């Protein structure tokens, strides 16, 4: 039963909806006539509100990166001395910023599979609404200086709801666009989400500065600023929930293929790429979360530079350049060998970037420190694009080999490759995000046990070189088929 009178034929220019939940019963984006006569408008409408929800997810996911650097000034004893390199305060800060990364990474897998079950419209509204829990909770407890750290650790973990939004949003939008346009649509979706990190790290210090201006720079002023920083997102979250329910759709045919998912999970290439994605996206998200704390701990004298403090000591620039260079990594990979060559040189260059960061700390040069980190963020962005560019090519090559063995048709092979790539990306994205948690924990443990983060940084440099070697071994050492694979399943990236 449908709520619109539409013909059943593929040539129809209208859409069929079930009466409940705005489910699209008929959706053929690869049919050019269907696409041009209403399909395109519906797809872009859903993308627009998907980007809004995903962007807010990242906004809330990283909120603690700025909160922890101001809690000491707000009167919380467990964060006193962060700017003076108090080992316990630094450890507490890194623990609070790593909790949302861990939960966000864990949620990426179930959030990916939620779209076929619950529909894009309903789950987008739900996932956006969940962001109210960590924001309102923070606004309530930040005004109680006697609140134990354990409560804030729980609130920080709940901010991880925002980290899962990426996977559900990407999975949902992938169903709306035709094959030749999915890459662009998902690139916009991913960049719109990643930019949420930079927006939060720029906006929150300004809101905190507003609070200290109203009530002066004492604990009460900082608590007001942090309250504003939490409540600022509430009206936007409400708008995202309303917009999803009012304007978005779900696609009835968006059902998973159990066999393809099983094949993807048992394919070693999924796990090789997940390991490499720890180095690119894991570094991006891990350093994005840790960067404000690292600046405050290593350059405490910046607290006397009013403009820099109001701008979060420029920490937002890291996520900003990393987000904007992600599409460039995919574009560059299209022109230089399919992604593996770019990924190899990204890892080698990231190891050099770590050496530059360590040199800046030896010289105690903030300009060199900032520039070295920005270069590292640029490289993580390029690496995110190049590794995601590799995934569909790898599964195209793998599926082609299997198709020849089983006698599959070209159409069956293409469809299977796309489904496997889509399934693999959910797991790869989750493992990559978990890498951000590992990165911050390595910093925390090194600082606690050695009184310096240097061992962790040099460990990263060694890991990046290992990842460069893995890239060469699997994808450049021989004339691996992925290098000549056709452009199948690009939509999945």
């Amino acid at each position: 039963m449908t709520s619109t009178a539409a013909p059943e034929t593929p040539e129809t220019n209208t859409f069929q909806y079930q009466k409940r939940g705005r489910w699209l019963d008929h959706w053929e984006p690869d049919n050019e006539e269907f696409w041009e006569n209403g399909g395109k408008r519906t797809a872009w409408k859903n993308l627009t509100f998907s980007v809004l929800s995903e962007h807010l997810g990242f906004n809330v996911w990283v909120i603690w990166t700025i909160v922890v650097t101001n809690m000491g000034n707000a009167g919380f004893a467990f964060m006193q001395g962060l700017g003076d390199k108090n080992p316990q305060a630094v450890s507490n800060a890194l623990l609070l910023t790593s909790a949302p990364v861990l939960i966000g990474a864990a949620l990426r897998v179930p959030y990916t599979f939620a779209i076929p079950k619950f529909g894009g419209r309903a789950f987008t509204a739900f996932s956006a609404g969940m962001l109210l829990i960590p924001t309102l909770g923070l606004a309530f407890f930040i005004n109680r200086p006697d609140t134990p750290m354990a409560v804030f650790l729980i609130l920080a973990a709940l901010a991880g709801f925002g980290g899962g939004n990426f996977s559900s949003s990407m999975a949902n939008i992938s169903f709306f666009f035709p094959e030749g346009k999915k890459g662009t649509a998902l690139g916009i979706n991913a960049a719109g989400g990643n930019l949420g990190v930079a927006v939060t790290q720029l906006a929150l210090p300004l809101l905190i500065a507003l609070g200290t201006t109203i009530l002066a720079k004492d604990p009460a002023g900082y608590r007001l600023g942090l309250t504003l920083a939490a409540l600022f997102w509430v009206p936007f979250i409400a708008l995202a929930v309303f917009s999803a329910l009012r304007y978005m759709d779900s696609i009835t045919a968006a059902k998973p293929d159990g066999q393809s998912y099983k094949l993807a999970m048992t394919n070693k290439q999924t796990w090789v790429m997940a390991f490499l994605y720890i180095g690119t996206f894991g570094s991006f998200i891990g350093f994005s979360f840790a960067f404000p704390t690292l600046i405050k701990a290593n350059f405490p004298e910046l607290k006397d530079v009013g403009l820099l403090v109001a701008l979060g000591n420029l920490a937002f620039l890291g996520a900003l350049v990393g987000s904007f260079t992600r599409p460039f990594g995919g574009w560059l990979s299209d022109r230089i060998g399919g992604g593996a060559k770019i990924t190899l040189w990204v890892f080698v260059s990231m190891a050099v970037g770590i050496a530059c960061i360590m040199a800046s700390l030896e010289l105690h040069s903030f300009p060199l420190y900032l520039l070295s980190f920005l270069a590292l963020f640029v490289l993580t962005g390029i690496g995110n694009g190049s590794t995601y560019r590799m995934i569909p090519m790898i599964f195209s090559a793998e599926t082609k080999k299997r198709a020849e063995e089983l006698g599959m048709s070209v159409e069956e092979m293409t469809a299977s490759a796309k489904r496997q790539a889509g399934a693999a990306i959910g797991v790869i994205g989750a493992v990559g995000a978990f890498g951000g948690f590992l990165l911050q924990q390595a910093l925390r443990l090194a600082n606690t046990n050695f009184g310096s983060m240097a061992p962790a940084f040099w460990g990263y440099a060694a890991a990046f070189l290992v990842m460069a070697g893995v890239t060469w071994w699997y994808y450049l050492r021989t004339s691996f088929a992925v290098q000549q694979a056709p452009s199948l399943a690009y939509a999945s990236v």
Side-chain angles (χ1 to χ4, degrees):
M1 223 158 50
T2 62
S3 61
T4 60
E8 301 268 348
T9 60
E11 292 76 21
T12 182
N13 295 335
T14 59
F15 305 107
Q16 290 183 305
Y17 290 99
Q18 291 180 356
K19 283 188 174 179
R20 295 180 179 271
R22 293 182 60 88
W23 283 83
L24 289 165
D25 287 334
H26 172 226
W27 187 254
E28 276 192 294
D30 289 298
N31 181 318
E32 187 173 350
E33 184 179 357
F34 180 94
W35 179 252
E36 293 298 332
N37 289 278
K40 177 166 63 176
R41 181 176 179 275
T42 298
W44 281 97
K45 176 192 68 175
N46 280 273
L47 174 61
T48 299
F49 295 110
S50 175
V51 168
L52 173 62
S53 177
E54 187 194 349
H55 183 88
L56 286 167
F58 273 84
N59 289 147
V60 174
W61 197 21
V62 301
I63 196 171
W64 282 87
T65 66
I66 302 301
V67 170
V68 296
T69 62
N70 291 276
M71 291 184 78
N73 293 328
F76 292 91
F78 57 82
M79 209 60 75
Q80 297 286 344
L82 178 61
D84 299 319
K85 293 188 178 182
N86 177 350
Q88 189 58 53
V90 174
S91 176
N92 290 341
L94 290 172
L95 186 61
L96 286 170
T97 58
S98 62
V101 180
L102 177 63
I103 300 304
L107 287 176
R108 284 190 165 200
V109 174
Y111 269 44
T112 298
F113 294 104
I115 294 300
K117 184 172 182 60
F118 300 106
R121 171 182 171 271
F123 197 77
T124 299
F126 167 80
S127 60
M130 293 296 286
L131 302 177
L132 291 171
I133 299 175
T135 50
L136 293 176
L138 174 59
F140 178 81
F141 285 104
I142 202 67
N143 288 290
R144 290 157 177 77
D146 57 344
T147 301
M149 181 178 161
V151 173
F152 288 111
L153 186 61
I154 293 171
L155 289 172
L158 291 174
F161 286 135
N165 283 15
F166 177 85
S167 290
S168 60
S169 181
M170 295 290 274
N172 182 42
I173 292 304
S174 69
F175 291 111
F176 277 94
F177 284 80
E179 297 307 324
K181 302 182 187 298
K182 282 186 181 178
T184 300
L186 292 179
I188 293 171
N189 203 47
N194 289 353
L195 281 171
V197 180
V199 170
T200 293
Q201 291 181 343
L202 174 60
L204 262 60
L206 295 173
L207 290 167
I208 293 168
L210 175 61
T212 59
T213 300
I214 296 172
L215 292 182
K217 290 187 177 181
D218 58 22
Y222 278 98
R223 288 196 291 272
L224 174 60
L226 289 168
T227 302
L228 294 174
L231 294 179
F232 176 77
W233 308 108
V234 171
F236 295 104
I237 294 169
L239 175 63
V241 173
F242 170 80
S243 299
L245 292 174
R246 178 66 180 84
Y247 299 109
M248 291 187 71
D249 308 291
S250 301
I251 297 176
T252 305
K255 301 298 180 184
D257 180 327
Q259 183 183 24
S260 293
Y261 276 61
K262 182 179 178 181
L263 288 171
M265 295 306 99
T266 56
N267 191 324
K268 71 176 181 181
Q269 302 297 341
T270 298
W271 304 104
V272 172
M273 291 304 302
F275 175 67
L276 298 182
Y277 204 50
I278 288 175
T280 56
F281 184 75
S283 296
F284 169 78
I285 205 66
F287 282 126
S288 291
F289 274 72
F291 198 26
T293 296
L294 295 178
I295 291 175
K296 186 164 186 176
N298 289 308
F299 297 93
E301 67 274 13
L302 295 179
K303 69 178 182 295
D304 299 322
V305 185
L307 180 60
L308 278 182
V309 172
L311 294 177
N313 292 329
L314 305 180
F316 73 93
L317 290 175
L320 185 68
V321 297
S323 300
F324 276 117
T325 54
R326 180 169 185 155
F328 178 69
W331 176 84
L332 197 60
S333 299
D334 282 338
R335 284 150 182 78
I336 307 177
K341 291 179 182 178
I342 301 301
T343 301
L344 171 66
W345 285 109
V346 160
F347 284 132
V348 173
S349 300
M350 286 173 70
V352 175
I354 293 293
C356 292
I357 290 170
M358 299 310 296
S360 70
L361 289 174
E362 282 291 321
L363 298 170
H364 198 73
S365 169
F366 177 67
L368 179 58
Y369 186 78
L370 180 63
L371 288 174
S372 299
F373 253 112
L374 291 183
L376 193 66
F377 275 109
V378 167
L379 290 167
T380 63
I382 294 173
N384 285 336
S386 64
T387 50
Y388 256 42
R389 173 65 175 79
M390 292 167 65
I391 295 169
M393 297 187 73
I394 290 169
F395 280 95
S396 294
E398 293 278 298
T399 307
K400 182 179 180 181
K401 179 180 178 181
R402 181 170 174 270
E404 291 173 350
E405 295 172 352
L406 301 178
M408 295 168 60
S409 68
V410 174
E411 291 77 12
E412 291 175 320
M413 178 191 75
T414 303
S416 179
K418 293 173 184 175
R419 288 192 292 264
Q420 287 184 55
I425 281 173
V427 174
I428 291 169
V431 174
F434 180 68
F437 170 78
L438 295 178
L439 183 149
Q440 291 184 83
Q441 289 305 299
L443 288 172
R444 186 178 70 86
L445 293 173
N447 184 72
T448 300
N449 296 320
F450 300 102
S452 168
M453 298 181 191
F457 276 104
W458 288 120
Y460 302 150
F464 294 147
L465 293 176
V466 169
M467 290 170 179
V470 169
T471 304
W472 174 81
W473 179 266
Y474 279 98
Y475 306 120
L476 293 172
R477 177 174 58 100
T478 62
S479 56
F480 184 59
V482 70
Q483 300 301 318
Q484 291 82 33
S487 310
L488 299 177
Y490 281 9
S492 300
V493 302

PDB file of all heavy atoms in Angstrom, residues 376-399:
ATOM      1  N   LEU A 376      51.898  17.238   9.376  1.00  0.00           N
ATOM      2  CA  LEU A 376      51.457  15.880   9.704  1.00  0.00           C
ATOM      3  C   LEU A 376      49.967  15.726   9.432  1.00  0.00           C
ATOM      4  O   LEU A 376      49.513  14.701   8.891  1.00  0.00           O
ATOM      5  CB  LEU A 376      51.765  15.585  11.170  1.00  0.00           C
ATOM      6  CG  LEU A 376      51.651  14.116  11.606  1.00  0.00           C
ATOM      7  CD1 LEU A 376      52.705  13.272  10.906  1.00  0.00           C
ATOM      8  CD2 LEU A 376      51.824  14.007  13.119  1.00  0.00           C
ATOM      9  N   PHE A 377      49.160  16.738   9.774  1.00  0.00           N
ATOM     10  CA  PHE A 377      47.724  16.687   9.515  1.00  0.00           C
ATOM     11  C   PHE A 377      47.433  16.673   8.016  1.00  0.00           C
ATOM     12  O   PHE A 377      46.518  15.967   7.558  1.00  0.00           O
ATOM     13  CB  PHE A 377      47.012  17.871  10.177  1.00  0.00           C
ATOM     14  CG  PHE A 377      46.665  17.638  11.622  1.00  0.00           C
ATOM     15  CD1 PHE A 377      47.340  18.307  12.635  1.00  0.00           C
ATOM     16  CD2 PHE A 377      45.667  16.742  11.968  1.00  0.00           C
ATOM     17  CE1 PHE A 377      47.009  18.095  13.974  1.00  0.00           C
ATOM     18  CE2 PHE A 377      45.329  16.516  13.299  1.00  0.00           C
ATOM     19  CZ  PHE A 377      46.011  17.197  14.298  1.00  0.00           C
ATOM     20  N   VAL A 378      48.173  17.447   7.244  1.00  0.00           N
ATOM     21  CA  VAL A 378      48.011  17.432   5.787  1.00  0.00           C
ATOM     22  C   VAL A 378      48.247  16.022   5.252  1.00  0.00           C
ATOM     23  O   VAL A 378      47.488  15.508   4.419  1.00  0.00           O
ATOM     24  CB  VAL A 378      48.980  18.431   5.116  1.00  0.00           C
ATOM     25  CG1 VAL A 378      49.052  18.190   3.607  1.00  0.00           C
ATOM     26  CG2 VAL A 378      48.532  19.867   5.384  1.00  0.00           C
ATOM     27  N   LEU A 379      49.296  15.386   5.758  1.00  0.00           N
ATOM     28  CA  LEU A 379      49.627  14.035   5.302  1.00  0.00           C
ATOM     29  C   LEU A 379      48.558  13.028   5.702  1.00  0.00           C
ATOM     30  O   LEU A 379      48.221  12.124   4.920  1.00  0.00           O
ATOM     31  CB  LEU A 379      50.987  13.619   5.868  1.00  0.00           C
ATOM     32  CG  LEU A 379      52.194  14.367   5.285  1.00  0.00           C
ATOM     33  CD1 LEU A 379      53.441  14.116   6.127  1.00  0.00           C
ATOM     34  CD2 LEU A 379      52.438  13.955   3.838  1.00  0.00           C
ATOM     35  N   THR A 380      47.997  13.163   6.914  1.00  0.00           N
ATOM     36  CA  THR A 380      46.936  12.230   7.307  1.00  0.00           C
ATOM     37  C   THR A 380      45.712  12.394   6.403  1.00  0.00           C
ATOM     38  O   THR A 380      45.054  11.415   6.060  1.00  0.00           O
ATOM     39  CB  THR A 380      46.508  12.437   8.774  1.00  0.00           C
ATOM     40  OG1 THR A 380      45.965  13.745   8.947  1.00  0.00           O
ATOM     41  CG2 THR A 380      47.666  12.224   9.718  1.00  0.00           C
ATOM     42  N   GLY A 381      45.414  13.652   6.020  1.00  0.00           N
ATOM     43  CA  GLY A 381      44.289  13.880   5.114  1.00  0.00           C
ATOM     44  C   GLY A 381      44.504  13.231   3.767  1.00  0.00           C
ATOM     45  O   GLY A 381      43.616  12.552   3.233  1.00  0.00           O
ATOM     46  N   ILE A 382      45.689  13.424   3.210  1.00  0.00           N
ATOM     47  CA  ILE A 382      46.014  12.800   1.921  1.00  0.00           C
ATOM     48  C   ILE A 382      45.964  11.283   2.052  1.00  0.00           C
ATOM     49  O   ILE A 382      45.435  10.574   1.178  1.00  0.00           O
ATOM     50  CB  ILE A 382      47.403  13.258   1.438  1.00  0.00           C
ATOM     51  CG1 ILE A 382      47.380  14.755   1.121  1.00  0.00           C
ATOM     52  CG2 ILE A 382      47.846  12.457   0.205  1.00  0.00           C
ATOM     53  CD1 ILE A 382      48.740  15.331   0.804  1.00  0.00           C
ATOM     54  N   GLY A 383      46.502  10.763   3.166  1.00  0.00           N
ATOM     55  CA  GLY A 383      46.497   9.319   3.380  1.00  0.00           C
ATOM     56  C   GLY A 383      45.101   8.755   3.549  1.00  0.00           C
ATOM     57  O   GLY A 383      44.808   7.646   3.095  1.00  0.00           O
ATOM     58  N   ASN A 384      44.205   9.510   4.205  1.00  0.00           N
ATOM     59  CA  ASN A 384      42.816   9.056   4.316  1.00  0.00           C
ATOM     60  C   ASN A 384      42.192   8.892   2.941  1.00  0.00           C
ATOM     61  O   ASN A 384      41.481   7.919   2.667  1.00  0.00           O
ATOM     62  CB  ASN A 384      41.999  10.061   5.130  1.00  0.00           C
ATOM     63  CG  ASN A 384      42.287   9.986   6.613  1.00  0.00           C
ATOM     64  OD1 ASN A 384      42.721   8.958   7.116  1.00  0.00           O
ATOM     65  ND2 ASN A 384      42.049  11.081   7.312  1.00  0.00           N
ATOM     66  N   GLY A 385      42.445   9.868   2.061  1.00  0.00           N
ATOM     67  CA  GLY A 385      41.897   9.787   0.706  1.00  0.00           C
ATOM     68  C   GLY A 385      42.492   8.655  -0.101  1.00  0.00           C
ATOM     69  O   GLY A 385      41.789   7.935  -0.815  1.00  0.00           O
ATOM     70  N   SER A 386      43.811   8.462   0.017  1.00  0.00           N
ATOM     71  CA  SER A 386      44.467   7.440  -0.804  1.00  0.00           C
ATOM     72  C   SER A 386      44.137   6.022  -0.337  1.00  0.00           C
ATOM     73  O   SER A 386      43.951   5.118  -1.160  1.00  0.00           O
ATOM     74  CB  SER A 386      45.987   7.652  -0.806  1.00  0.00           C
ATOM     75  OG  SER A 386      46.543   7.490   0.483  1.00  0.00           O
ATOM     76  N   THR A 387      44.026   5.809   0.978  1.00  0.00           N
ATOM     77  CA  THR A 387      43.688   4.463   1.453  1.00  0.00           C
ATOM     78  C   THR A 387      42.253   4.108   1.082  1.00  0.00           C
ATOM     79  O   THR A 387      41.982   2.975   0.650  1.00  0.00           O
ATOM     80  CB  THR A 387      43.881   4.339   2.974  1.00  0.00           C
ATOM     81  OG1 THR A 387      43.218   5.423   3.633  1.00  0.00           O
ATOM     82  CG2 THR A 387      45.339   4.338   3.355  1.00  0.00           C
ATOM     83  N   TYR A 388      41.318   5.048   1.239  1.00  0.00           N
ATOM     84  CA  TYR A 388      39.936   4.766   0.842  1.00  0.00           C
ATOM     85  C   TYR A 388      39.831   4.552  -0.658  1.00  0.00           C
ATOM     86  O   TYR A 388      38.989   3.790  -1.123  1.00  0.00           O
ATOM     87  CB  TYR A 388      39.022   5.915   1.295  1.00  0.00           C
ATOM     88  CG  TYR A 388      38.192   5.562   2.507  1.00  0.00           C
ATOM     89  CD1 TYR A 388      38.747   4.867   3.577  1.00  0.00           C
ATOM     90  CD2 TYR A 388      36.853   5.895   2.584  1.00  0.00           C
ATOM     91  CE1 TYR A 388      38.001   4.535   4.679  1.00  0.00           C
ATOM     92  CE2 TYR A 388      36.078   5.571   3.685  1.00  0.00           C
ATOM     93  CZ  TYR A 388      36.659   4.883   4.729  1.00  0.00           C
ATOM     94  OH  TYR A 388      35.904   4.541   5.829  1.00  0.00           O
ATOM     95  N   ARG A 389      40.689   5.196  -1.404  1.00  0.00           N
ATOM     96  CA  ARG A 389      40.714   4.999  -2.859  1.00  0.00           C
ATOM     97  C   ARG A 389      41.175   3.581  -3.216  1.00  0.00           C
ATOM     98  O   ARG A 389      40.742   3.003  -4.211  1.00  0.00           O
ATOM     99  CB  ARG A 389      41.644   6.046  -3.481  1.00  0.00           C
ATOM    100  CG  ARG A 389      41.906   5.876  -4.966  1.00  0.00           C
ATOM    101  CD  ARG A 389      40.629   6.085  -5.775  1.00  0.00           C
ATOM    102  NE  ARG A 389      40.922   6.033  -7.182  1.00  0.00           N
ATOM    103  CZ  ARG A 389      41.106   4.923  -7.875  1.00  0.00           C
ATOM    104  NH1 ARG A 389      41.042   3.753  -7.254  1.00  0.00           N
ATOM    105  NH2 ARG A 389      41.364   4.950  -9.172  1.00  0.00           N
ATOM    106  N   MET A 390      42.022   3.003  -2.372  1.00  0.00           N
ATOM    107  CA  MET A 390      42.540   1.664  -2.633  1.00  0.00           C
ATOM    108  C   MET A 390      41.482   0.583  -2.406  1.00  0.00           C
ATOM    109  O   MET A 390      41.494  -0.453  -3.082  1.00  0.00           O
ATOM    110  CB  MET A 390      43.742   1.377  -1.723  1.00  0.00           C
ATOM    111  CG  MET A 390      44.985   2.195  -2.028  1.00  0.00           C
ATOM    112  SD  MET A 390      46.214   2.071  -0.699  1.00  0.00           S
ATOM    113  CE  MET A 390      46.649   0.324  -0.780  1.00  0.00           C
ATOM    114  N   ILE A 391      40.578   0.779  -1.459  1.00  0.00           N
ATOM    115  CA  ILE A 391      39.671  -0.286  -1.024  1.00  0.00           C
ATOM    116  C   ILE A 391      38.816  -0.851  -2.151  1.00  0.00           C
ATOM    117  O   ILE A 391      38.801  -2.076  -2.366  1.00  0.00           O
ATOM    118  CB  ILE A 391      38.799   0.197   0.152  1.00  0.00           C
ATOM    119  CG1 ILE A 391      39.679   0.475   1.370  1.00  0.00           C
ATOM    120  CG2 ILE A 391      37.742  -0.844   0.506  1.00  0.00           C
ATOM    121  CD1 ILE A 391      38.969   1.208   2.499  1.00  0.00           C
ATOM    122  N   PRO A 392      38.080  -0.020  -2.915  1.00  0.00           N
ATOM    123  CA  PRO A 392      37.252  -0.600  -3.968  1.00  0.00           C
ATOM    124  C   PRO A 392      38.070  -1.272  -5.061  1.00  0.00           C
ATOM    125  O   PRO A 392      37.637  -2.263  -5.650  1.00  0.00           O
ATOM    126  CB  PRO A 392      36.472   0.604  -4.514  1.00  0.00           C
ATOM    127  CG  PRO A 392      37.288   1.780  -4.144  1.00  0.00           C
ATOM    128  CD  PRO A 392      37.922   1.438  -2.836  1.00  0.00           C
ATOM    129  N   MET A 393      39.265  -0.745  -5.337  1.00  0.00           N
ATOM    130  CA  MET A 393      40.122  -1.368  -6.357  1.00  0.00           C
ATOM    131  C   MET A 393      40.583  -2.755  -5.912  1.00  0.00           C
ATOM    132  O   MET A 393      40.638  -3.694  -6.694  1.00  0.00           O
ATOM    133  CB  MET A 393      41.323  -0.471  -6.644  1.00  0.00           C
ATOM    134  CG  MET A 393      40.943   0.889  -7.220  1.00  0.00           C
ATOM    135  SD  MET A 393      42.370   1.857  -7.737  1.00  0.00           S
ATOM    136  CE  MET A 393      42.835   0.966  -9.216  1.00  0.00           C
ATOM    137  N   ILE A 394      40.910  -2.857  -4.630  1.00  0.00           N
ATOM    138  CA  ILE A 394      41.350  -4.144  -4.105  1.00  0.00           C
ATOM    139  C   ILE A 394      40.239  -5.178  -4.224  1.00  0.00           C
ATOM    140  O   ILE A 394      40.453  -6.304  -4.690  1.00  0.00           O
ATOM    141  CB  ILE A 394      41.794  -3.990  -2.639  1.00  0.00           C
ATOM    142  CG1 ILE A 394      43.095  -3.203  -2.564  1.00  0.00           C
ATOM    143  CG2 ILE A 394      41.938  -5.346  -1.961  1.00  0.00           C
ATOM    144  CD1 ILE A 394      43.463  -2.774  -1.165  1.00  0.00           C
ATOM    145  N   PHE A 395      39.036  -4.804  -3.826  1.00  0.00           N
ATOM    146  CA  PHE A 395      37.935  -5.770  -3.872  1.00  0.00           C
ATOM    147  C   PHE A 395      37.476  -6.029  -5.300  1.00  0.00           C
ATOM    148  O   PHE A 395      36.957  -7.104  -5.595  1.00  0.00           O
ATOM    149  CB  PHE A 395      36.786  -5.297  -2.982  1.00  0.00           C
ATOM    150  CG  PHE A 395      37.029  -5.600  -1.541  1.00  0.00           C
ATOM    151  CD1 PHE A 395      37.581  -4.644  -0.707  1.00  0.00           C
ATOM    152  CD2 PHE A 395      36.753  -6.851  -1.027  1.00  0.00           C
ATOM    153  CE1 PHE A 395      37.836  -4.930   0.621  1.00  0.00           C
ATOM    154  CE2 PHE A 395      37.006  -7.149   0.295  1.00  0.00           C
ATOM    155  CZ  PHE A 395      37.555  -6.187   1.131  1.00  0.00           C
ATOM    156  N   SER A 396      37.678  -5.095  -6.197  1.00  0.00           N
ATOM    157  CA  SER A 396      37.412  -5.361  -7.606  1.00  0.00           C
ATOM    158  C   SER A 396      38.331  -6.466  -8.118  1.00  0.00           C
ATOM    159  O   SER A 396      37.897  -7.401  -8.788  1.00  0.00           O
ATOM    160  CB  SER A 396      37.626  -4.087  -8.432  1.00  0.00           C
ATOM    161  OG  SER A 396      36.682  -3.111  -8.111  1.00  0.00           O
ATOM    162  N   ALA A 397      39.624  -6.330  -7.783  1.00  0.00           N
ATOM    163  CA  ALA A 397      40.594  -7.323  -8.228  1.00  0.00           C
ATOM    164  C   ALA A 397      40.340  -8.684  -7.588  1.00  0.00           C
ATOM    165  O   ALA A 397      40.397  -9.723  -8.252  1.00  0.00           O
ATOM    166  CB  ALA A 397      42.006  -6.832  -7.914  1.00  0.00           C
ATOM    167  N   GLU A 398      40.065  -8.677  -6.283  1.00  0.00           N
ATOM    168  CA  GLU A 398      39.820  -9.929  -5.580  1.00  0.00           C
ATOM    169  C   GLU A 398      38.566 -10.637  -6.114  1.00  0.00           C
ATOM    170  O   GLU A 398      38.545 -11.847  -6.310  1.00  0.00           O
ATOM    171  CB  GLU A 398      39.651  -9.634  -4.084  1.00  0.00           C
ATOM    172  CG  GLU A 398      40.910  -9.148  -3.403  1.00  0.00           C
ATOM    173  CD  GLU A 398      41.822 -10.285  -3.011  1.00  0.00           C
ATOM    174  OE1 GLU A 398      41.413 -11.127  -2.206  1.00  0.00           O
ATOM    175  OE2 GLU A 398      42.945 -10.341  -3.538  1.00  0.00           O
ATOM    176  N   THR A 399      37.509  -9.847  -6.349  1.00  0.00           N
ATOM    177  CA  THR A 399      36.252 -10.427  -6.822  1.00  0.00           C
ATOM    178  C   THR A 399      36.395 -10.915  -8.261  1.00  0.00           C
ATOM    179  O   THR A 399      35.787 -11.929  -8.643  1.00  0.00           O
ATOM    180  CB  THR A 399      35.114  -9.395  -6.724  1.00  0.00           C
ATOM    181  OG1 THR A 399      35.079  -8.888  -5.388  1.00  0.00           O
ATOM    182  CG2 THR A 399      33.776 -10.031  -7.042  1.00  0.00           C
TER     183      THR A 399
END
